[in-house]
Each structure stands twice: as structure tokens, then as C-alpha cells.
């Protein structure tokens, strides 16, 4: 067992002892902060290889995210939770080189109560750091609808912004067949290569990976929050 995992297990095993020396609310908060620190320590000390599989750093990241959501939901069964993340994390399947996604773990645990909603856009711009300047400020990157990606097909199908429910079979047999066929979607993260980011595509089967598609015809850049004075 890795040291970070062993520390997390130790914290859980000694929770009652720790709680006797403080209030319950304080103990819960301190334990959650300790979990966050041990998860972060585990991720930064993992080797980036292998790039795929259950033990990769990417799989561990999604597993930890799923654990955090699970604790929040299970501790508050009467509330509804919205998880905002990259489409690759929300998918009910895998992403990258077969990495089990956050969404696949939530789907396995909660069944149809987990609703995977993908947010896509046709053309416009977004902020991301360039791979040749990782420590610089995020830059504006522009994207059109020229590549025959899922986004380009959605832009051609219906003008403007819209929402598509994928838990139904769709308006026609042809649409249902298309939604259950292999497609590609654009895949951008917080860091992208210069120029070549436009060609970054990831495989998907829309009706299997997501429960709904929210499509925005034109996207504009996010606005960074002003730096806080210290």
C-alpha cells in the first residue's frame, strides 16, 4: 500500500480517538482536510507512467474526485448535487487511454440517479495555458466548426443554442442510430499545444457516454477573477 493510502486509512481508523479530543464538527472538518492533503500528496508523488490503467495518476485523480462526491452525497442523502468538471471526467465510460472516469464511478454507485450532461460549443474562444509557457497567464484560443467533430455536426443539425436529451431514442431511427455510433468530440484542457489544439479529438458514443448534451453555438472566453490582495 502506498504511504498516502496508508495515512488515509490510519486517519479513518483513528477517527473516534481523534474526535474525543475535539467537537464532532471540528473533527469532521479536520479529517476531510487531512484526506485532501493525503490525496494531493499521493497524486504529486505518483509516476506519470503508465499512462493508462487503474493505477495511473489520471485514474487515481478521478477516483479521488468520485470519493469526494460520494462522501458529500452519502452524508446528505436529501440534497441534490451538481458536479462541474471537464466532459472527459463526467462521461459514464472512460477517457484518454482507457482511464475510468469520475462519471463511470458515480454511475456504478448511483445508477440512473447520476445524470451525465456534456457541455459543448460550436465555435468561439476559450482560455488555456500554452504548453510552451506553462507558468504564463492563460491565453485566448479560437476554434471554428470546420472539423467533422460531434460539435460540428451538432452545429449543422440545429441553429443556435439547444439541449438534447439522450435517454430517449431521439426523434427518428436515423438520429438514434447516429447517437449510438462512434463519434469524436473536441478535447481541450487547461493546457493546450499551440496551433495543434484545434485537432485534439477524443472518441465517444454520445448516447452511451452522456445522458444529455447542452450545446452553445458560440462560446466566449471566461473572465479570470481579480487577484486577491494579501
Amino acid at each position: 500500500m502506498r504511504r498516502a493510502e496508508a495515512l488515509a486509512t490510519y486517519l479513518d481508523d483513528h477517527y473516534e480517538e481523534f474526535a474525543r479530543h475535539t467537537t464532532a464538527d471540528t473533527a469532521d472538518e479536520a479529517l476531510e482536510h487531512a484526506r485532501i492533503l493525503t490525496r494531493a500528496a499521493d497524486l504529486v508523488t505518483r509516476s506519470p507512467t503508465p499512462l493508462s490503467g487503474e493505477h495511473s495518476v489520471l485514474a487515481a485523480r478521478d477516483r479521488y474526485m468520485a470519493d469526494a462526491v460520494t462522501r458529500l452525497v452519502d452524508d446528505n442523502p436529501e440534497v441534490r448535487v451538481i458536479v462541474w468538471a471537464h466532459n472527459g471526467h463526467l462521461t459514464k465510460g472512460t477517457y484518454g487511454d482507457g482511464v475510468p472516469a469520475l462519471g463511470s464511478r458515480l454511475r456504478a454507485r448511483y445508477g440512473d440517479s447520476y445524470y451525465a450532461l456534456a457541455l459543448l460549443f460550436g465555435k468561439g474562444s476559450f482560455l488555456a495555458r500554452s504548453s510552451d509557457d506553462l507558468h504564463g497567464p492563460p491565453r485566448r484560443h479560437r476554434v471554428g466548426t470546420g472539423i467533422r467533430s460531434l460539435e460540428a455536426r451538432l452545429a449543422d443539425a440545429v441553429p443556435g443554442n439547444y439541449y438534447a436529451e439522450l435517454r430517449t431514442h431521439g426523434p427518428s431511427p436515423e438520429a438514434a442510430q447516429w447517437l449510438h455510433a462512434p463519434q469524436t468530440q473536441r478535447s481541450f484542457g487547461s493546457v493546450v499545444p499551440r496551433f495543434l489544439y484545434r485537432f485534439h479529438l477524443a472518441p465517444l458514443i454520445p448516447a452511451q457516454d452522456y445522458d444529455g448534451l447542452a450545446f452553445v453555438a458560440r462560446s466566449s472566453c471566461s473572465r479570470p477573477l481579480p487577484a486577491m490582495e494579501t
Side-chain angles (χ1 to χ4, degrees):
M1 179 180 294
R2 299 177 61 87
R3 290 183 179 181
E5 293 172 342
L7 179 56
T9 300
Y10 176 87
L11 291 169
D12 287 331
D13 292 343
H14 292 78
Y15 171 77
E16 295 298 335
E17 179 181 349
F18 177 71
R20 285 198 297 269
H21 299 282
T22 183
T23 64
D25 290 341
T26 303
D28 289 340
E29 183 178 1
L31 182 61
E32 184 57 28
H33 280 290
R35 287 197 184 103
I36 293 172
L37 291 174
T38 55
R39 290 194 296 265
D42 182 29
L43 291 177
V44 299
T45 56
R46 281 180 181 258
S47 170
T49 56
L51 296 179
S52 62
E54 185 67 26
H55 300 291
S56 69
V57 64
L58 297 178
R61 181 176 60 170
D62 276 62
R63 183 168 63 252
Y64 287 145
M65 288 192 290
D67 290 344
V69 175
T70 296
R71 283 196 301 276
L72 180 63
V73 172
D74 292 352
D75 290 344
N76 303 274
E78 74 283 357
V79 303
R80 303 178 70 180
V81 175
I82 297 177
V83 180
W84 181 280
H86 189 286
N87 287 337
H89 296 303
L90 297 178
T91 176
K92 296 181 291 184
T94 61
Y95 71 95
D97 293 327
V99 175
L102 155 72
S104 69
R105 300 178 187 278
L106 297 180
R107 181 72 169 197
R109 184 173 183 87
Y110 300 110
D112 286 342
S113 293
Y114 173 68
Y115 189 95
L117 176 63
L119 177 60
L120 307 168
F121 72 95
K123 59 183 177 181
S125 58
F126 65 95
L127 289 184
R129 285 186 168 87
S130 295
S131 57
D132 58 349
D133 187 14
L134 295 178
H135 301 291
R139 300 177 180 176
R140 183 184 182 187
H141 297 80
R142 296 180 179 179
V143 179
T145 57
I147 298 177
R148 298 307 300 173
S149 61
L150 172 65
E151 292 88 344
R153 294 178 182 274
L154 293 174
D156 289 341
V158 180
N161 308 327
Y162 61 93
Y163 165 78
E165 169 63 55
L166 301 185
R167 286 190 174 182
T168 62
H169 287 165
S172 67
E174 292 79 10
Q177 183 178 7
W178 183 81
L179 290 170
H180 285 83
Q183 310 288 339
T184 58
Q185 63 180 329
R186 296 190 306 226
S187 182
F188 310 132
S190 60
V191 177
V192 298
R194 295 189 66 184
F195 309 116
L196 296 179
Y197 67 87
R198 295 182 176 88
F199 305 102
H200 274 209
L201 299 172
L204 84 156
I205 299 178
Q208 292 184 15
D209 289 330
Y210 302 112
D211 297 301
L213 302 176
F215 182 77
V216 178
R218 178 179 292 274
S219 173
S220 59
C221 289
S222 57
R223 300 177 182 178
L225 295 174
M228 297 181 62
E229 297 182 0
T230 58

